[in-house]
Each structure stands twice: as structure tokens, then as C-alpha cells.
Amino acid sequence: MPVLDELLHEVRSCRVCEAALPLGPRPVVRASATARVLIIGQAPGTRVHATGIPWNDPSGERLRHWLAIPPDVFYDVGRIAIMPMGFCYPGRGRGGDMPPRPECAPLWHPPLLAAMPGVELVLLVGQYAQKRYLPGCQASLTENVRPFLDPAIAREQRWFPLPHPSPRNTRWLRQRPWFEAQVVPVLRQRLRSVLG
């Protein structure tokens, strides 16, 4: 069994935070040694937990719209890997889902990243991913995303920060029309250049 297959088996068998998960463990991750793009989001919601398919919800529909790629490309694990900050549904809080469990990223991200040497572009979807990976991360999501209005910056960076595409962020998007008008086209161009 190849190293990545063994690693994915370990991840999917993980029970480290089982006692804290209201629906029990069901780690959701997709990885391939040939992937050129990696999407790092937050954590699965209830629909993703039920199906085991990442971004299989309204947030995923909006994300695929931003990327301008059909589901068959989005779910082609040979091209696009998907690794959330927390691999299991963390439960519900007062304002929506709880934050990703803190155990996953330190435990599983380093070996998974090492097993995906072909990744050229990492989409950091939401502030949890940005706080962990974005060089010079700011406290404000707007300040993390705004520099990517400049295509030159977007072409040079491995990390590309995005707001979370959740319907809960519709207000943020409405207040910042420059994101969909200017950043999304830059993102699509960068994605096309990486995926070929």
C-alpha cells in the first residue's frame, strides 16, 4: 500500500477527539500525490458528515461558482485535494457550527502536505485556514483578501485567501462587491494556469 494510502487510512480511522464530536467521528479528506490545488476549509457541516462528500452543500456550490469549475473537475482528486482544518463535524454553537477541532491540523496536516508534493496553489477558505497558513495574516478577513485584487500578487503566491462561501457570509460579500467583481476573476485565471 503506498504511503499516502496508508496515511489516508490512518486519518479516516482517527478517533482522537471522538468524545467531543456530537455525531461521532467521520473524517472527510481527499488527497493525492498528483494534486496541483489544495483547498483548506473549516470543517464538515452536517450534510457533508452524512454523505462523506466535501463541500456537498450550498457553500460548496458557491465555492465551485467562484472557481468556475464543474463538479467533475472539483472532485477529481488527482487534480484537487481537499483538507479541512477539522476533519469531522464539530457540532453546533450559538452562531452556527462550532470551530474546527484543534487536534486535526497539527496532527494530520504536516504528513498530508508532505505527501502532496505537486501542490502549487492552496486556497485558504475562511479565517481558520488563514490564521494557520497565510504569511502575514491579518485579524481582518478583508485585509487578508484585499491584496489579491492585484493579479501580480495572486500569480506569485502559493496561498490564496478566500472568505468562507457560507450563506452566512452573504452580507460580507454584499458589502465588498470588489471580491466577486475583481478577486474572483484573478482566482479563476490562477486556477486555470495551475490546472492547465
Side-chain angles (χ1 to χ4, degrees):
M1 182 182 278
V3 172
L4 183 55
D5 289 345
E6 290 178 13
L7 180 56
L8 288 170
H9 177 74
E10 286 181 45
V11 171
R12 291 178 178 131
S13 302
C14 181
R15 300 296 179 262
V16 168
C17 57
E18 182 172 17
L21 300 172
L23 301 181
R26 184 174 192 181
V28 176
V29 60
R30 296 172 61 87
S32 165
T34 61
R36 308 276 305 274
V37 175
L38 171 61
I39 300 171
I40 303 179
Q42 292 185 183
T46 53
R47 186 183 297 183
V48 172
H49 175 86
T51 64
I53 302 170
W55 296 102
N56 181 32
D57 54 19
S59 295
E61 290 173 23
R62 179 178 271 168
L63 179 60
R64 285 187 291 279
H65 169 72
W66 288 346
L67 303 179
I69 56 175
D72 63 314
V73 174
F74 185 82
Y75 290 113
D76 179 355
V77 73
R79 299 166 81 187
I80 298 177
I82 300 172
M83 179 178 76
M85 291 298 294
F87 291 8
C88 297
Y89 173 65
R92 189 117 175 110
R94 285 187 7 206
D97 288 347
M98 298 286 286
R101 294 292 312 167
E103 298 88 348
C104 292
L107 180 62
W108 296 117
H109 282 201
L112 283 166
L113 288 168
M116 294 187 285
V119 169
E120 295 179 36
L121 176 63
V122 182
L123 306 181
L124 301 173
V125 184
Q127 290 187 300
Y128 295 105
Q130 291 164 26
K131 284 177 184 172
R132 183 164 183 91
Y133 289 108
L134 185 64
C137 182
Q138 303 295 312
S140 159
L141 173 65
T142 301
E143 293 310 308
N144 287 335
V145 175
R146 189 187 311 274
F148 288 77
L149 285 162
D150 183 343
I153 289 176
R155 278 194 302 270
E156 295 169 6
Q157 302 298 318
R158 181 178 191 221
W159 314 101
F160 201 117
L162 299 172
H164 196 282
S166 166
R168 291 181 173 274
N169 282 341
T170 298
R171 183 176 175 197
W172 186 95
L173 293 166
R174 272 199 213 112
Q175 292 174 341
R176 294 157 186 86
W178 51 264
F179 173 75
E180 291 196 15
Q182 294 173 267
V183 175
V184 166
V186 170
L187 170 64
R188 290 173 178 173
Q189 183 179 30
R190 180 72 197 283
L191 195 63
R192 280 193 301 272
S193 72
V194 171
L195 291 177

